[in-house]
Amino acid sequence: MTELLFLMGMSGSAAILLCFLLCRLTEKRLSARQQYAAMKFVLVFLLLPIGPCLNFLLELLQETTQISSSEMTPVLPATSGGWLPGAVPDAVPTDAVSLPQLTISPSGDQICTALWGLCAAAILFYKFLRFARSKRCLRQAGLIEASPDTQLIFRTCQQKLHIHRSVRIRLSSAVPAPFATGLLKPVVILPIRDFSERDLRCILLHELTHIKSGDLLIRWFSMFATAVHWWNPLVWLWNRKLVELSEASCDE
């Protein structure tokens, strides 16, 4: 288990560094949406064993190549002295020399796995606790129906983005800024504040783009990936960059 997590972390780290380098070199050529798409692709390496599978295929290819080369090696006839002329009897075969490998005992692997699971569970519990606390604050403050004018602008923005699923809009005094929430039943929550029609339209288009692009689901997956790879600082930097590019992509 420890080796699998380590290989997944290393393949994910390589993908993160490659994305950071790509965004750095093409910062003025790629849009925020394109950079965001590249950052989302890192989730495949962090949550799926792509690295271990590639490592297994590479080892299998090496073994197949070695077998093929050994079958093609000609068998030389034996000489009277048992050795070919010029052969050195004391020479050590190349295959006998091997590099030392780092191995983990079963007990050590169990300890590392238990420590990883404990920290990952603690991070997920903290995240869900914050989510439940914010939901409770919203429930206590109450959600207010938007005015008919706001509802009309909201439906217009929804039609402009071709969002056909049911999305609600609510007002609350407990939120400092607009945000979208809800995977199965999405809702856009606005603070109780006077917005101009232009600002309200931009805000609603921004939040609806989050819903249309599936950013809410991506946030959950990235939170889970951060908990799984809590020991890797590159994953935390990637998660922060992912959120920044998500907002910049919606602004575009």
Side-chain angles (χ1 to χ4, degrees):
M1 184 66 179
T2 305
E3 183 180 359
L4 177 63
L5 290 172
F6 179 77
L7 289 176
M8 289 174 61
M10 290 302 99
S11 60
S13 298
I16 291 172
L17 291 175
L18 183 61
C19 285
F20 278 145
L21 181 61
L22 178 66
C23 294
R24 184 69 175 178
L25 295 177
T26 60
E27 186 175 0
K28 297 181 180 180
R29 297 180 182 178
L30 294 181
S31 63
R33 185 177 182 179
Q34 292 171 329
Q35 296 180 33
Y36 180 51
M39 288 294 176
K40 287 191 293 185
F41 186 70
V42 177
L43 279 171
V44 178
F45 292 89
L46 293 176
L47 298 179
L48 297 178
I50 302 297
C53 290
L54 292 177
N55 187 39
F56 172 76
L57 292 177
L58 182 61
E59 292 179 355
L60 185 63
L61 181 62
Q62 291 177 350
E63 292 179 0
T64 305
T65 305
Q66 291 177 357
I67 293 175
S68 301
S69 60
S70 62
E71 290 178 353
M72 295 176 61
T73 304
V75 179
L76 300 177
T79 59
S80 58
W83 295 97
L84 291 175
V88 182
D90 296 333
V92 180
T94 307
D95 296 339
V97 180
S98 60
L99 296 176
Q101 297 181 355
L102 180 63
T103 57
I104 302 177
S105 62
S107 60
D109 183 73
Q110 292 177 359
I111 293 174
C112 293
T113 303
L115 178 62
W116 164 82
L118 183 63
C119 294
I123 293 174
L124 288 177
F125 178 75
Y126 173 73
K127 296 289 186 179
F128 281 111
L129 190 64
R130 289 187 58 184
F131 178 75
R133 186 179 301 171
S134 62
K135 293 281 287 186
R136 186 172 63 251
C137 291
L138 285 175
R139 191 164 49 248
Q140 291 176 354
L143 296 177
I144 305 173
E145 288 281 348
S147 64
D149 293 337
T150 303
Q151 291 276 2
L152 180 60
I153 297 175
F154 181 73
R155 299 307 171 195
T156 304
C157 295
Q158 192 173 354
Q159 292 174 2
K160 184 177 181 179
L161 294 176
H162 304 286
I163 299 177
H164 304 292
R165 61 183 302 189
S166 176
V167 184
R168 298 170 297 165
I169 179 172
R170 295 293 184 269
L171 305 179
S172 176
S173 59
V175 297
F179 70 96
T181 184
L183 291 177
L184 300 178
K185 298 179 179 180
V187 56
V188 176
I189 301 179
L190 302 177
I192 300 178
R193 192 184 309 167
D194 292 332
F195 295 102
S196 65
E197 183 177 347
R198 180 180 181 276
D199 292 340
L200 182 61
R201 191 179 300 274
C202 292
I203 290 172
L204 294 178
L205 286 173
H206 179 99
E207 301 304 332
L208 286 172
T209 304
H210 278 304
I211 296 174
K212 180 182 179 180
S213 303
D215 293 341
L216 302 180
L217 184 62
I218 294 296
R219 296 283 180 91
W220 282 98
F221 278 134
S222 64
M223 180 189 69
F224 185 74
T226 306
V228 171
H229 301 278
W230 56 265
W231 48 272
N232 193 341
L234 282 176
V235 177
W236 293 92
L237 294 175
W238 162 81
N239 187 38
R240 185 173 64 180
K241 187 66 175 179
L242 183 73
V243 174
E244 294 176 358
L245 289 174
S246 171
E247 299 297 330
S249 176
C250 289
D251 287 339
E252 283 183 349

